[in-house]
């Protein structure tokens, strides 16, 4: 009897099967997905860009002549279901587990149809919530085709390095799908997506280092793809583009963004022809104080502690030793920063009628139920009418390794 | 068999000596088949003290002939005296009255003297069994530790332990085992520390043994263990006298036998297998560092192959893209599934290990070259396995050597295969399940009544010498799980 039971158990083992089992080499790993509009409503052009594992691997000697990526564009109704159609061209089962970015064309983003398609990402287990959303000026399929990195030819490495570094400098926001759903479904605030393009604008603007949006940067050489600025999504629909500088300010004023130090220049208060180069560090969290009264305009006070390390003073004005000049600079930089911040806040209040800083987080504590909060209406009522006061507090001012600058008089005698 | 044993016992037992020397001699010679047995020797002399004939019986191969000459024959021929014991100069002399004990004594290397007109025989211990000298430990190597190891002689082994632990309460109790060839099993313990129940349990098990011959503790281990089918051993086998001594001190019981260059410690817990004696000789930080490494090796050796199979077959999203693409590019030319690939390599590794153990010494280096070439290079170049699998298997193989105890080593190696199979069914889910079951099994085990994972679970009052040990000054207690009579060892 016991033997028979054992035999039965033994037979159960092969019955279990291995339904989810798949060997790694039987899958194609899609790194980037592109989504475009078609003329027919409800149909989209979907682009898959998959990495070729044989390129860049020292283990396999053969296959080095192959392209580092395979890009396929096809028309479909749904992101996930189109995978199978793509198999008419691609050889292996398509896996979206390692997808790094979803590229959306500006046309689709502005049409508001994007939300319909990306819904699937919330439901499927395949697409990670950490996938970054990129809005491309041109068609996403063109963007993926034209993007030809020179050094990081393997696509996953390209997106990994490109996005992490650009996010650190603050010129693009962090825009993962999770945040997109959080903000969109929270029915307050606006979501910032990464803005990028491979098409260069005809006229180049002569601006300061971060006052561009992608495509306008006067760069020679390198990959044609530019990442700069952000696309503003209000209620799942794109409404505007922020420049790199505005994106940086948005990042500074939003504590949920992880941004490190950034290099920037400020007008020289003593000599307006030159600009002072400095390293801006926000190493402490900002302080958002909201004074919410039901029938009065809400008062929002924001304190941003920061420190500045001056690295270049082309005007050669002595700001370090001269106490008077130093206090001038100490007062000037926060004032300048506040001015820029106020401009952006004004723009968001008047144009967008919502903020891009995720400040609604700080007001939620004043409501005991979600209904109450939704009724108060951050987007239409609270934020556009709020009295906002931004206070940049300069905590430390450094002058780098060398205190004195070269004395131009003595050099040229 | 039962009847035969009974008949033998009846025939041999309690046959008394007669007064007739000739009759006794014939009987004894017949018992030992002296005409066939080349080394069974007899010597007849006439003693000066009594002018009577005396016969000596012994195995010439297992006695010290100088001792016989100097201590027995010469005094008998030359000395005057009252009786035999006052003439013989050797230390141990025994009176015997029946053939049964005479046979036992001759077998264990004594000279038996039969006297004319006497119903009493005398037995003198002149045993000289040959054995190796004391050498360095072969398997339990250590850098900062005594270098003596047990050898195949019971007396030497007991002396090595007594040398380390001077206590009048240290008992070396002998218990004969075997119906045909009687060998003593020596039970060593500290009388006022050891737990009586466990001691009684051991004695009972030894008494209940009904077997013709137990040659050494390696076989004894299998005779007295509780669960012969278990994947884990319930006795600790060690060749280090310092280790045996430290266990004795804590209240454990040590079993020794002639012919074994090691001893058995009982009861054991998982930690006895996990620890090395050197952990205690190294300073607190250094010893614990080596324990972390060993724990890591333990886990790697158990799990790395299984995890690799699970992750590549079911959870490719867990692998960082760079590694994933590297694995894919390597595996694109490999014709086998991952499970098969891993099993192939694991089995080859076990082959090298087994062959390396059995190979005659002069051929030893060959196995290294062939093994390394076949597994390291040729298999990869021939696209039979991918290089990453070689790394995985080499890692798990290397780690298994860090688990020094041979019993635990086998446990881990067998379990590893179970885990690989488990991982191939439902990935991490079934691997976790298998690991859980395995740990539950360990927790359910008992060695001579002591829970296998104690004092971690269940908890006992002890120094908590589990994964990490305390500073030696803070070790106040003996291990509480073995319930020693004297729990406190300090302060």
């Amino acid at each position: 009897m016991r033997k028979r039971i054992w035999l039965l158990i033994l037979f159960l083992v092969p019955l279990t099967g291995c339904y989810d089992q798949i060997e790694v080499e039987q899958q194609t790993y899609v790194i980037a997905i592109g989504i475009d509009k078609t003329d027919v409503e409800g149909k989209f052009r979907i682009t898959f860009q998959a990495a070729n594992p044989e390129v860049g691997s020292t283990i396999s000697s053969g296959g080095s002549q192959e392209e580092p990526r395979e890009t396929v564009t096809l028309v479909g109704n749904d992101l996930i279901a189109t995978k199978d159609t793509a198999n008419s061209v691609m050889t292996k089962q398509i896996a979206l587990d390692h997808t790094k970015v979803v590229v959306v064309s500006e046309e689709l983003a502005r049409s508001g149809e994007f939300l319909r398609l990306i819904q699937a990402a919330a439901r499927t287990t395949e697409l990670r919530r950490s996938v970054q959303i990129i809005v491309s000026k041109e068609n996403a399929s063109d963007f993926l085709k034209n993007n030809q990195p020179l050094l990081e030819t393997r696509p996953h490495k390209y997106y990994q390095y490109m996005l992490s570094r650009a996010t650190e400098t603050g010129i693009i926001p962090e825009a993962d799908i999770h945040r997109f759903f959080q903000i969109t479904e929270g029915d307050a605030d606006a979501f910032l997506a990464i803005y990028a393009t491979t098409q260069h604008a005809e006229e180049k603007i002569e601006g300061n280092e971060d006052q561009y949006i992608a495509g306008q940067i006067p760069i020679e050489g390198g990959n044609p793809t530019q990442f700069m600025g952000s696309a503003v999504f209000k209620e799942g629909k794109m409404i505007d583009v922020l420049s790199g500088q505005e994106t940086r300010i948005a990042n500074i004023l939003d504590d949920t963004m992880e941004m490190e130090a950034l290099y920037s220049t400020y007008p020289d208060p003593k000599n307006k022809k030159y600009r002072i180069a400095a390293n801006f560090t926000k190493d402490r969290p900002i302080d958002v104080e909201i004074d919410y009264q039901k029938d009065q305009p809400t008062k929002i006070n924001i304190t941003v502690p920061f420190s500045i390390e001056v690295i270049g003073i082309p005007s050669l004005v002595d700001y370090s030793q001269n106490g008077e000049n130093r206090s001038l600079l100490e007062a000037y930089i926060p004032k300048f920063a506040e001015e820029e911040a106020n401009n952006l806040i004004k723009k968001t209040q008047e144009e967008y009628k919502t903020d891009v800083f995720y400040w609604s987080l700080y007001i939620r504590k004043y409501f005991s139920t979600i209904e109450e909060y939704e009724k108060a209406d951050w987007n239409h009522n609270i934020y556009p009418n709020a009295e906002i006061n931004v206070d940049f507090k300069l905590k430390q001012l450094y002058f780098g390794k060398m205190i004195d600058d070269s004395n131009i008089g003595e050099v040229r005698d | 068999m039962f009847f035969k044993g009974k008949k033998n016992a009846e025939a041999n037992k309690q046959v008394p000596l007669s007064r007739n020397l000739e009759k006794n001699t014939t009987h004894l010679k017949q018992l030992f088949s002296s005409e066939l047995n080349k080394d069974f020797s007899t010597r007849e002399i006439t003693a000066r003290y009594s002018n009577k004939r005396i016969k000596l019986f012994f195995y010439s191969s297992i006695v010290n002939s100088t001792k016989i000459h100097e201590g027995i024959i010469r005094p008998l021929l030359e000395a005057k005296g009252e009786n035999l014991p006052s003439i013989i100069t050797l230390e141990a002399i025994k009176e015997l009255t029946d053939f049964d004990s005479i046979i036992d004594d001759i077998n264990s290397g004594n000279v038996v003297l039969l006297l004319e007109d006497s119903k009493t025989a005398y037995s003198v211990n002149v045993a000289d069994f040959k054995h190796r000298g004391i050498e360095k430990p072969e398997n339990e190597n250590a850098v900062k530790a005594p270098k003596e190891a047990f050898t195949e002689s019971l007396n030497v082994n007991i002396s090595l332990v007594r040398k380390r632990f001077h206590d009048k309460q240290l008992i070396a109790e002998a218990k004969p085992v075997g119906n045909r060839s009687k060998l003593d099993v020596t039970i060593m313990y500290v009388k006022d520390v050891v737990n009586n129940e466990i001691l009684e349990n051991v004695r009972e098990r030894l008494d209940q043994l009904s077997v013709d011959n137990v040659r050494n503790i390696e076989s004894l281990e299998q005779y007295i263990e509780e669960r012969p089918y278990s994947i884990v051993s319930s006795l600790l086998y060690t060749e280090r006298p310092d280790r045996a001594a430290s266990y004795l001190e804590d209240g454990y019981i040590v079993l020794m036998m002639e012919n074994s260059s090691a001893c058995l410690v009982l009861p054991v817990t998982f930690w006895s297998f996990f620890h090395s004696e050197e952990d205690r000789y190294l300073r607190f930080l250094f010893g614990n560092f080596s324990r972390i490494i060993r724990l890591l090796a333990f886990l790697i050796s158990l799990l790395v192959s299984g995890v690799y199979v699970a992750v590549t077959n079911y959870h490719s999203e867990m692998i960082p893209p760079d590694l994933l693409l590297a694995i894919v590019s390597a595996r694109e030319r490999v014709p086998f599934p991952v499970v098969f690939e891993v099993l192939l390599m694991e089995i080859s590794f076990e082959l090298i290990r087994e062959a390396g153990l059995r190979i005659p010494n002069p051929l030893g280096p060959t196995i290294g070259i062939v093994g390394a070439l076949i597994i390291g290079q040729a298999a990869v170049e021939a696209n039979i396995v991918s290089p990453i699998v070689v790394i995985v298997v080499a890692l798990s193989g290397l780690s298994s050597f860090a688990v020094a105890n041979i019993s635990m080593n086998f446990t881990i190696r067998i379990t590893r295969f179970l885990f690989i199979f488990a991982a191939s069914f439902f990935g991490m889910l079934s691997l976790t399940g298998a690991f859980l079951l395995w740990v539950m099994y360990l927790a359910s085990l008992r060695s001579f009544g002591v829970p296998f994972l104690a004092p971690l679970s269940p908890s006992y009052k002890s120094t908590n010498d589990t994964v990490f040990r305390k500073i030696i000054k803070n070790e106040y207690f003996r291990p509480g799980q073995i319930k020693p009579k004297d729990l406190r060892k300090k302060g």
Side-chain angles (χ1 to χ4, degrees), chain A residues 117-134:
Chain A
L117 196 64
I118 205 67
Q119 273 300 328
R123 196 166 288 134
T124 179
T125 53
E126 275 197 58
L127 210 61
R128 287 174 193 228
R129 289 290 183 93
S130 63
V131 171
Q132 303 280 324
I133 299 174
I134 296 177

PDB file of all heavy atoms in Angstrom, chain A residues 117-134:
ATOM      1  N   LEU A 117      -3.875  53.379 -24.082  1.00  0.00           N
ATOM      2  CA  LEU A 117      -2.955  52.300 -24.430  1.00  0.00           C
ATOM      3  C   LEU A 117      -2.091  51.885 -23.231  1.00  0.00           C
ATOM      4  O   LEU A 117      -1.859  50.702 -22.998  1.00  0.00           O
ATOM      5  CB  LEU A 117      -2.056  52.768 -25.576  1.00  0.00           C
ATOM      6  CG  LEU A 117      -1.331  51.651 -26.299  1.00  0.00           C
ATOM      7  CD1 LEU A 117      -2.326  50.747 -26.983  1.00  0.00           C
ATOM      8  CD2 LEU A 117      -0.363  52.227 -27.302  1.00  0.00           C
ATOM      9  N   ILE A 118      -1.656  52.876 -22.475  1.00  0.00           N
ATOM     10  CA  ILE A 118      -0.703  52.570 -21.400  1.00  0.00           C
ATOM     11  C   ILE A 118      -1.404  51.912 -20.216  1.00  0.00           C
ATOM     12  O   ILE A 118      -0.747  51.361 -19.337  1.00  0.00           O
ATOM     13  CB  ILE A 118       0.058  53.855 -20.980  1.00  0.00           C
ATOM     14  CG1 ILE A 118       1.419  53.517 -20.359  1.00  0.00           C
ATOM     15  CG2 ILE A 118      -0.763  54.722 -20.056  1.00  0.00           C
ATOM     16  CD1 ILE A 118       2.396  52.929 -21.315  1.00  0.00           C
ATOM     17  N   GLN A 119      -2.736  51.926 -20.199  1.00  0.00           N
ATOM     18  CA  GLN A 119      -3.479  51.222 -19.153  1.00  0.00           C
ATOM     19  C   GLN A 119      -3.013  49.778 -19.008  1.00  0.00           C
ATOM     20  O   GLN A 119      -2.916  49.232 -17.915  1.00  0.00           O
ATOM     21  CB  GLN A 119      -4.970  51.224 -19.490  1.00  0.00           C
ATOM     22  CG  GLN A 119      -5.709  52.440 -18.993  1.00  0.00           C
ATOM     23  CD  GLN A 119      -5.647  52.585 -17.494  1.00  0.00           C
ATOM     24  OE1 GLN A 119      -5.599  51.604 -16.774  1.00  0.00           O
ATOM     25  NE2 GLN A 119      -5.621  53.832 -17.024  1.00  0.00           N
ATOM     26  N   ALA A 120      -2.708  49.163 -20.165  1.00  0.00           N
ATOM     27  CA  ALA A 120      -2.301  47.753 -20.148  1.00  0.00           C
ATOM     28  C   ALA A 120      -1.058  47.554 -19.295  1.00  0.00           C
ATOM     29  O   ALA A 120      -0.884  46.499 -18.689  1.00  0.00           O
ATOM     30  CB  ALA A 120      -2.058  47.270 -21.569  1.00  0.00           C
ATOM     31  N   ALA A 121      -0.226  48.569 -19.247  1.00  0.00           N
ATOM     32  CA  ALA A 121       1.030  48.434 -18.492  1.00  0.00           C
ATOM     33  C   ALA A 121       0.764  48.248 -17.012  1.00  0.00           C
ATOM     34  O   ALA A 121       1.545  47.616 -16.302  1.00  0.00           O
ATOM     35  CB  ALA A 121       1.894  49.665 -18.720  1.00  0.00           C
ATOM     36  N   ALA A 122      -0.359  48.817 -16.548  1.00  0.00           N
ATOM     37  CA  ALA A 122      -0.663  48.672 -15.123  1.00  0.00           C
ATOM     38  C   ALA A 122      -1.138  47.273 -14.814  1.00  0.00           C
ATOM     39  O   ALA A 122      -0.965  46.783 -13.707  1.00  0.00           O
ATOM     40  CB  ALA A 122      -1.724  49.691 -14.720  1.00  0.00           C
ATOM     41  N   ARG A 123      -1.729  46.635 -15.807  1.00  0.00           N
ATOM     42  CA  ARG A 123      -2.327  45.337 -15.557  1.00  0.00           C
ATOM     43  C   ARG A 123      -1.339  44.200 -15.775  1.00  0.00           C
ATOM     44  O   ARG A 123      -1.314  43.241 -15.032  1.00  0.00           O
ATOM     45  CB  ARG A 123      -3.552  45.168 -16.464  1.00  0.00           C
ATOM     46  CG  ARG A 123      -4.438  44.044 -16.017  1.00  0.00           C
ATOM     47  CD  ARG A 123      -5.781  44.104 -16.699  1.00  0.00           C
ATOM     48  NE  ARG A 123      -6.613  45.197 -16.200  1.00  0.00           N
ATOM     49  CZ  ARG A 123      -7.275  46.025 -16.963  1.00  0.00           C
ATOM     50  NH1 ARG A 123      -7.193  45.932 -18.268  1.00  0.00           N
ATOM     51  NH2 ARG A 123      -8.022  46.967 -16.438  1.00  0.00           N
ATOM     52  N   THR A 124      -0.527  44.307 -16.787  1.00  0.00           N
ATOM     53  CA  THR A 124       0.365  43.204 -17.129  1.00  0.00           C
ATOM     54  C   THR A 124       1.494  43.084 -16.098  1.00  0.00           C
ATOM     55  O   THR A 124       1.901  44.052 -15.478  1.00  0.00           O
ATOM     56  CB  THR A 124       0.964  43.383 -18.529  1.00  0.00           C
ATOM     57  OG1 THR A 124       1.833  42.287 -18.769  1.00  0.00           O
ATOM     58  CG2 THR A 124       1.769  44.663 -18.620  1.00  0.00           C
ATOM     59  N   THR A 125       1.955  41.855 -15.932  1.00  0.00           N
ATOM     60  CA  THR A 125       3.096  41.660 -15.030  1.00  0.00           C
ATOM     61  C   THR A 125       4.404  41.876 -15.779  1.00  0.00           C
ATOM     62  O   THR A 125       5.462  41.895 -15.188  1.00  0.00           O
ATOM     63  CB  THR A 125       3.095  40.222 -14.486  1.00  0.00           C
ATOM     64  OG1 THR A 125       3.026  39.326 -15.590  1.00  0.00           O
ATOM     65  CG2 THR A 125       1.934  39.994 -13.566  1.00  0.00           C
ATOM     66  N   GLU A 126       4.311  41.997 -17.085  1.00  0.00           N
ATOM     67  CA  GLU A 126       5.551  42.018 -17.851  1.00  0.00           C
ATOM     68  C   GLU A 126       6.293  43.338 -17.773  1.00  0.00           C
ATOM     69  O   GLU A 126       7.488  43.382 -17.545  1.00  0.00           O
ATOM     70  CB  GLU A 126       5.241  41.705 -19.323  1.00  0.00           C
ATOM     71  CG  GLU A 126       5.193  40.224 -19.605  1.00  0.00           C
ATOM     72  CD  GLU A 126       5.300  39.966 -21.089  1.00  0.00           C
ATOM     73  OE1 GLU A 126       6.290  40.387 -21.683  1.00  0.00           O
ATOM     74  OE2 GLU A 126       4.388  39.349 -21.640  1.00  0.00           O
ATOM     75  N   LEU A 127       5.519  44.412 -18.017  1.00  0.00           N
ATOM     76  CA  LEU A 127       6.175  45.710 -18.086  1.00  0.00           C
ATOM     77  C   LEU A 127       6.425  46.223 -16.681  1.00  0.00           C
ATOM     78  O   LEU A 127       5.530  46.245 -15.855  1.00  0.00           O
ATOM     79  CB  LEU A 127       5.258  46.673 -18.844  1.00  0.00           C
ATOM     80  CG  LEU A 127       5.919  47.787 -19.639  1.00  0.00           C
ATOM     81  CD1 LEU A 127       6.810  47.209 -20.706  1.00  0.00           C
ATOM     82  CD2 LEU A 127       4.863  48.680 -20.244  1.00  0.00           C
ATOM     83  N   ARG A 128       7.663  46.613 -16.416  1.00  0.00           N
ATOM     84  CA  ARG A 128       7.958  47.102 -15.073  1.00  0.00           C
ATOM     85  C   ARG A 128       7.356  48.474 -14.841  1.00  0.00           C
ATOM     86  O   ARG A 128       7.246  49.270 -15.771  1.00  0.00           O
ATOM     87  CB  ARG A 128       9.477  47.219 -14.889  1.00  0.00           C
ATOM     88  CG  ARG A 128      10.132  45.899 -14.767  1.00  0.00           C
ATOM     89  CD  ARG A 128      11.620  46.083 -14.747  1.00  0.00           C
ATOM     90  NE  ARG A 128      12.219  44.781 -14.938  1.00  0.00           N
ATOM     91  CZ  ARG A 128      13.194  44.300 -14.197  1.00  0.00           C
ATOM     92  NH1 ARG A 128      13.713  45.029 -13.247  1.00  0.00           N
ATOM     93  NH2 ARG A 128      13.677  43.113 -14.420  1.00  0.00           N
ATOM     94  N   ARG A 129       7.070  48.748 -13.587  1.00  0.00           N
ATOM     95  CA  ARG A 129       6.560  50.078 -13.255  1.00  0.00           C
ATOM     96  C   ARG A 129       7.661  51.123 -13.312  1.00  0.00           C
ATOM     97  O   ARG A 129       7.419  52.303 -13.235  1.00  0.00           O
ATOM     98  CB  ARG A 129       5.959  50.057 -11.852  1.00  0.00           C
ATOM     99  CG  ARG A 129       4.664  49.302 -11.741  1.00  0.00           C
ATOM    100  CD  ARG A 129       3.560  50.049 -12.444  1.00  0.00           C
ATOM    101  NE  ARG A 129       2.267  49.401 -12.308  1.00  0.00           N
ATOM    102  CZ  ARG A 129       1.396  49.699 -11.353  1.00  0.00           C
ATOM    103  NH1 ARG A 129       1.690  50.617 -10.475  1.00  0.00           N
ATOM    104  NH2 ARG A 129       0.244  49.086 -11.300  1.00  0.00           N
ATOM    105  N   SER A 130       8.907  50.683 -13.408  1.00  0.00           N
ATOM    106  CA  SER A 130      10.002  51.660 -13.418  1.00  0.00           C
ATOM    107  C   SER A 130      10.364  52.086 -14.831  1.00  0.00           C
ATOM    108  O   SER A 130      11.316  52.816 -15.028  1.00  0.00           O
ATOM    109  CB  SER A 130      11.226  51.058 -12.747  1.00  0.00           C
ATOM    110  OG  SER A 130      11.667  49.946 -13.490  1.00  0.00           O
ATOM    111  N   VAL A 131       9.597  51.637 -15.827  1.00  0.00           N
ATOM    112  CA  VAL A 131       9.862  52.042 -17.210  1.00  0.00           C
ATOM    113  C   VAL A 131       9.660  53.550 -17.344  1.00  0.00           C
ATOM    114  O   VAL A 131       8.689  54.099 -16.845  1.00  0.00           O
ATOM    115  CB  VAL A 131       8.922  51.281 -18.162  1.00  0.00           C
ATOM    116  CG1 VAL A 131       9.011  51.834 -19.559  1.00  0.00           C
ATOM    117  CG2 VAL A 131       9.225  49.813 -18.137  1.00  0.00           C
ATOM    118  N   GLN A 132      10.603  54.209 -17.992  1.00  0.00           N
ATOM    119  CA  GLN A 132      10.535  55.664 -18.118  1.00  0.00           C
ATOM    120  C   GLN A 132       9.731  56.051 -19.360  1.00  0.00           C
ATOM    121  O   GLN A 132       9.812  55.388 -20.392  1.00  0.00           O
ATOM    122  CB  GLN A 132      11.940  56.246 -18.239  1.00  0.00           C
ATOM    123  CG  GLN A 132      12.857  55.900 -17.088  1.00  0.00           C
ATOM    124  CD  GLN A 132      12.611  56.775 -15.870  1.00  0.00           C
ATOM    125  OE1 GLN A 132      12.319  57.955 -15.993  1.00  0.00           O
ATOM    126  NE2 GLN A 132      12.728  56.186 -14.691  1.00  0.00           N
ATOM    127  N   ILE A 133       8.965  57.112 -19.225  1.00  0.00           N
ATOM    128  CA  ILE A 133       8.175  57.586 -20.360  1.00  0.00           C
ATOM    129  C   ILE A 133       8.916  58.735 -21.038  1.00  0.00           C
ATOM    130  O   ILE A 133       9.258  59.726 -20.398  1.00  0.00           O
ATOM    131  CB  ILE A 133       6.779  58.056 -19.902  1.00  0.00           C
ATOM    132  CG1 ILE A 133       6.037  56.885 -19.266  1.00  0.00           C
ATOM    133  CG2 ILE A 133       5.998  58.633 -21.066  1.00  0.00           C
ATOM    134  CD1 ILE A 133       4.714  57.282 -18.666  1.00  0.00           C
ATOM    135  N   ILE A 134       9.168  58.559 -22.326  1.00  0.00           N
ATOM    136  CA  ILE A 134       9.828  59.605 -23.104  1.00  0.00           C
ATOM    137  C   ILE A 134       8.836  60.116 -24.139  1.00  0.00           C
ATOM    138  O   ILE A 134       8.166  59.316 -24.802  1.00  0.00           O
ATOM    139  CB  ILE A 134      11.081  59.050 -23.818  1.00  0.00           C
ATOM    140  CG1 ILE A 134      12.116  58.591 -22.797  1.00  0.00           C
ATOM    141  CG2 ILE A 134      11.664  60.083 -24.762  1.00  0.00           C
ATOM    142  CD1 ILE A 134      13.328  57.963 -23.417  1.00  0.00           C
TER     143      ILE A 134
END
